[in-house]
Amino acid sequence: MFALGLIGLLVRRNLLFILMSIEVMLNASGLAFVSAGARWGQADGQVMFLFILTVAAAEVAVGLALVLRLYHRFHSLDADAVSEMRG
Amino acid sequence: MGIIFYIAAVVAILATVLMLTRLNPVHALLYLTVSLLSIAVVFVTLGAPYMAALEVVIYAGAIMVLFVFVVMLLNLGRQTVSTERTWVSPGMFVGPAILAAILVGEVSFVLARPGSVTPPAAEIGPGQVALSLYGPYLLGVELASFLLLGALVGAYHVGTRKAQGRTGGSGSDRARVTSGGDLVRTGANRPSGAA
């Protein structure tokens, strides 16, 4: 799952798909934490998944706001269109 | 536990692969939702029912709603009704519906035969998680609250259009009215200073 998210991040050039791939990667790491916690019978894995959930929510809020601004600025969701930004 | 876990895992991987290969963001969102739901089923089989509930509520609920809103906002200006009609063709529902039907079948199987899901280790309920969360991880909880507050303020700051005052009051108001709204105004109607 994590590898799929990473491949999606590298292959796609659409900003929305890049954000979705980041979600997939965060989700996969959370799944790894929960399964490890279930393997050893500890609650720490689920606590870590809660933190990952928080990070994902914060990331997607800021990321989608940035995507909206960039779309209004460049009229495109191409990640290469933003590469001319300086400073 | 075994067969349900493996079916849900295969559904998750299939949905993710199909999500990455879609060209249309709305189709990809459907597959991503199915993938998150199947991850929730995997959590149940791993003995973490509280995390499964949180996955459904927060990931598949809140975050997907955010994505859907942004997709709607981005496509308001340029997409016409005809392209919308081709997007919402009945054929696009077939793939996610099949994968979701597999998940529904699993859930109904588990509901019909209670006790068929036995986690490999002892089930870790919300009580244990809460004791650990507010015990040794209390500092992490505080940091998470900082992070959420920062994200809230940051998203508001990035999301507001600060250039409204620069273009002059009545003119920009008229432009907004004629072009149908603030977020609709793109292309030629957009004032040059608005960025």
Side-chain angles (χ1 to χ4, degrees):
Chain A
M1 289 287 291
F2 187 83
L4 278 178
L6 189 60
I7 290 170
L9 182 72
L10 293 178
V11 168
R12 299 304 296 259
R13 275 281 166 262
N14 194 323
L15 281 174
L16 266 179
F17 279 92
I18 289 175
L19 272 182
M20 281 193 244
S21 305
I22 292 175
E23 289 300 309
V24 169
M25 287 166 67
L26 284 172
N27 211 348
S29 55
L31 176 62
F33 267 115
V34 169
S35 52
R39 167 68 181 77
W40 279 286
Q42 299 290 320
D44 299 352
Q46 301 193 21
V47 173
M48 280 301 154
F49 180 72
L50 273 178
F51 290 149
I52 289 175
L53 207 64
T54 312
V55 170
E59 175 261 332
V60 81
V62 178
L64 285 177
L66 278 174
V67 165
L68 273 180
R69 298 290 296 185
L70 287 176
Y71 181 74
H72 283 295
R73 176 74 176 263
F74 294 105
H75 298 287
S76 155
L77 281 180
D78 194 353
D80 290 334
V82 200
S83 62
E84 66 185 28
M85 277 201 341
R86 292 285 182 269
Chain B
M1 161 256 171
I3 187 69
I4 291 178
F5 171 78
Y6 285 119
I7 289 177
V10 167
V11 167
I13 293 177
L14 261 182
T16 311
V17 170
L18 285 172
M19 179 210 97
L20 287 180
T21 51
R22 293 306 97 177
L23 294 180
N24 199 323
V26 180
H27 300 178
L29 277 177
L30 271 178
Y31 278 113
L32 183 57
T33 310
V34 173
S35 166
L36 296 175
L37 290 178
S38 54
I39 293 287
V41 173
V42 169
F43 282 165
V44 169
T45 64
L46 282 176
Y50 182 48
M51 291 305 120
L54 278 185
E55 173 97 11
V56 171
V57 170
I58 296 183
Y59 260 117
I63 294 181
M64 285 304 109
V65 164
L66 270 183
F67 269 108
V68 168
F69 264 104
V70 168
V71 168
M72 282 166 50
L73 288 179
L74 289 183
N75 291 312
L76 262 182
R78 51 174 184 165
Q79 298 294 334
T80 59
V81 180
S82 62
T83 58
E84 191 74 20
R85 194 171 294 129
T86 58
W87 276 23
V88 199
S89 65
M92 65 173 270
F93 290 108
V94 172
I98 288 174
L99 293 178
I102 294 174
L103 292 179
V104 169
E106 281 188 351
V107 169
S108 55
F109 172 75
V110 170
L111 285 181
R113 292 175 53 187
S116 58
V117 173
T118 54
E123 183 173 305
I124 302 170
Q128 258 178 291
V129 177
L131 279 181
S132 177
L133 185 63
Y134 288 105
Y137 288 101
L138 190 57
L139 186 63
V141 175
E142 301 295 333
L143 288 178
S145 68
F146 282 170
L147 176 69
L148 281 179
L149 179 63
L152 175 68
V153 175
Y156 177 74
H157 175 73
V158 171
T160 45
R161 298 172 65 87
K162 293 186 292 293
Q164 287 302 319
R166 242 185 286 158
T167 57
S170 63
S172 70
D173 280 347
R174 203 180 308 126
R176 195 183 312 147
V177 167
T178 53
S179 61
D182 197 15
L183 286 161
V184 184
R185 185 179 58 212
T186 55
N189 281 332
R190 203 174 62 120
S192 60

